[in-house]
Every structure is written in C-alpha cells, then in structure tokens.
C-alpha cells in the first residue's frame, strides 16, 4: 500500500474515532453488552455441562470469542449510512485512495475490539478467572481473537453493502447469532446430541474458542485447534475481503 493510501486510510480512521466523541453511548453499549452476557451466563444461567474444572475458566475464553463475533452492526450501519447519505460520493470527488473509507472503518472497529477484549479480561479477573498460559499464551490468544474479528468484520462490511440500507442491517445481523450460540462458548460439544455437537465443533468460532482456551491454559483447550483457528479466518478473509472490495469498487463507479 502506498504512502498516500496509508495517509488516506488514517484520515478515515480518525474520522470514525471522532464519531466516538459524538456518540459515547454507542461505544459504551458495545463495551458493556458482552460484559453483561458474561455475568449472566456465569451467575444467572449457569451451565458448563461436561466441563472439567472451574466453569469460569471455560466460560471466559468462550465469551472472548463470542465478543469478537458480535457488535458488527455498528460498522455495518456506518457503511450503509455513508453510502445512502452521499458521503462516499463526496469522498470520491477528492484525491483519495479508493477503499480508504472501508480501511478506516475497519481500523476503528478493530480498535474498539481491543478495548472490548481489555474490558472482558478485566471483568474475568474480577470474577476469579486467571490466565495460566503465561504472557506469551495471552498474547497468542489475543492475536487469534483479533484475527477472527477481522474476518467477521469483512463479512459484515460485504453484507452491509449487499443490504444497502441501514434498516436492512438488523435483518442481516441476525445471521451472526447462529454463529455465536451454535458454538462451544458456554458448554462442550460432547454434552450435546451427536449431530449438533458435530455442527458446533466445526463452527469457526468454536475452533477459535478452543484454541484460545489452550493458549490461556484453561479447561477445554486442545493444541490441535490452533491451526484451525488460523486457517478458518484466513479462508473467510480470502473470500469476503475481495468480495467487499469488488462490491465497493462497483458502487464507486
């Protein structure tokens, strides 16, 4: 990427970050919602069938992965609003790298994802969860989580441009829920009916959650899942990143 493209992308990233100051409630909700889910499943709903060891050590890594799958609607709505309000047309009239808007939007989303992970890790420590894989394991786990988020993000950007309108984003966002809840975030696939356990085990989010548990030294981790936690997001990116760029290029003509 050229220096001009990087500069344009950073300008668009700063534009998205400026929106945070004008919409602090949206940012706060994005941080609080996964924390509420963690506390709800940890204390109110319970669970952990088939989990060996402390349930909180199994639940927190699963919730970290779930957090990376959810919260895409803010980015999706922002993309559709830019398209419908003519913002893209105004940027197109400027000497700006094509696609800098999408790169800036994705960079801001990834920054918020880092903040969400930090908040979740902090709450996890407050309720008794501990990292047993060392600093290296924690950094590897965060890397896997952000890679999964990056893949989910570009799926969301592509679907947002397909949807075309902000009011259609909610209908498209519903597709994320099966990915999140048909997973091993809350309980092990072994405790489920055979066919459902197989579906859950092959869920890309389940592979990430299992690999993260392994890196953090918690129950439910399997070393053999680390490669899958890398291959799945890379494969999704290989499909949806070009689709999103192609779709954006066509909309820009």
């Amino acid at each position: 990427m050229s220096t001009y493209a990087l500069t344009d992308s950073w300008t668009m990233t700063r534009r998205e970050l400026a929106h945070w100051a004008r919409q602090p409630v949206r940012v706060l909700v994005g941080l609080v919602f996964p924390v509420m889910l963690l506390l709800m499943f940890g204390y109110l709903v319970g669970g952990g069938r088939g989990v060996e060891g402390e349930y909180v050590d199994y639940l927190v890594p699963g919730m970290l992965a779930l957090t990376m799958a959810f919260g895409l609607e803010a980015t999706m709505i922002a993309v559709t609003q830019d398209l419908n309000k003519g913002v893209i047309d105004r940027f197109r009239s400027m000497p700006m790298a094509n696609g800098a808007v999408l790169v800036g939007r994705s960079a801001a989303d990834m920054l918020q994802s880092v903040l969400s992970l930090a908040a979740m890790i902090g709450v996890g420590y407050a309720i008794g969860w501990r990292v047993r894989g060392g600093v290296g394991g924690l950094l590897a786990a965060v890397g896997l989580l952000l890679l999964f988020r990056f893949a989910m993000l570009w799926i969301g950007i592509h679907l947002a441009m397909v949807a075309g309108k902000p009011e259609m984003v909610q209908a498209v966002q519903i597709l994320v829920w099966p990915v999140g809840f048909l997973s091993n975030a809350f309980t092990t696939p072994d405790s489920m009916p055979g066919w459902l356990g197989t579906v859950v085990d092959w869920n890309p989010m389940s592979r990430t959650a299992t690999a993260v548990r392994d890196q953090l030294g918690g129950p439910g981790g399997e070393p053999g899942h680390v490669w899958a936690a890398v291959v799945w997001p890379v494969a999704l990116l290989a499909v949806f990143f070009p689709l999103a760029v192609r779709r954006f290029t066509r909309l820009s003509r």
Side-chain angles (χ1 to χ4, degrees):
M1 185 180 294
S2 67
T3 302
Y4 292 110
L6 288 173
T7 303
D8 292 342
S9 297
W10 172 237
T11 300
M12 292 296 99
T13 301
R14 286 166 44 205
R15 168 180 175 260
E16 297 300 335
L17 295 180
H19 291 167
W20 291 14
R22 295 193 293 270
Q23 300 174 331
V25 174
R26 190 194 74 182
V27 177
L28 184 61
V29 169
L31 295 176
V32 171
F33 178 69
V35 171
M36 291 177 59
L37 283 180
L38 172 60
L39 297 177
M40 180 180 68
F41 280 95
Y43 291 105
L44 298 179
V45 178
R49 290 187 302 166
V51 176
E52 298 180 0
E54 293 293 331
Y55 181 51
V56 69
D57 291 333
Y58 182 90
L59 177 64
V60 171
M63 287 302 305
L64 293 176
L66 187 67
T67 301
M68 295 296 95
F70 281 6
L72 294 171
E73 64 273 9
T75 294
M76 296 169 70
I77 289 174
V79 171
T80 55
Q81 286 178 338
D82 282 349
L83 290 173
N84 283 272
K85 291 180 179 180
V87 175
I88 301 298
D89 292 332
R90 291 196 293 271
F91 286 143
R92 193 184 308 148
S93 65
M94 302 177 183
M96 178 180 295
N98 192 28
V101 176
L102 296 184
V103 174
R105 180 61 252 180
S106 63
D109 184 285
M110 292 302 293
L111 179 57
Q112 183 162 1
S113 297
V114 172
L115 296 178
S116 296
L117 285 178
M120 290 289 286
I121 290 173
V123 173
Y125 260 76
I127 64 176
W129 169 73
R130 295 293 181 269
V131 175
R132 295 179 173 83
V135 176
L138 176 61
L139 293 177
V142 170
L144 291 173
L145 289 165
L146 292 178
L147 177 62
F148 177 66
R149 175 63 176 192
F150 195 59
M152 293 296 295
L153 172 61
W154 282 97
I155 294 174
I157 289 175
H158 173 66
L159 293 178
M161 288 187 289
V162 171
K165 298 181 179 179
E167 55 268 25
M168 292 296 296
V169 167
Q170 186 174 4
V172 176
Q173 172 66 12
I174 294 176
L175 299 175
V176 176
W177 288 83
V179 176
F181 286 101
L182 286 177
S183 70
N184 63 0
F186 311 110
T187 188
T188 65
D190 294 338
S191 65
M192 306 174 186
W195 66 271
L196 182 59
T198 300
V199 172
V200 166
D201 190 52
W202 277 95
N203 184 335
M205 202 194 90
S206 294
R207 297 303 178 102
T208 295
T210 301
V212 167
R213 291 183 179 112
D214 173 66
Q215 295 301 309
L216 297 176
E222 298 179 19
H225 279 61
V226 173
W227 71 269
V230 174
V231 171
W232 261 117
V234 169
L236 292 173
L237 276 171
V239 173
F240 286 96
F241 181 83
L243 287 176
V245 173
R246 187 178 300 114
R247 184 87 182 185
F248 182 79
T249 301
R250 291 176 179 174
L251 291 173
S252 300
R253 290 174 180 172

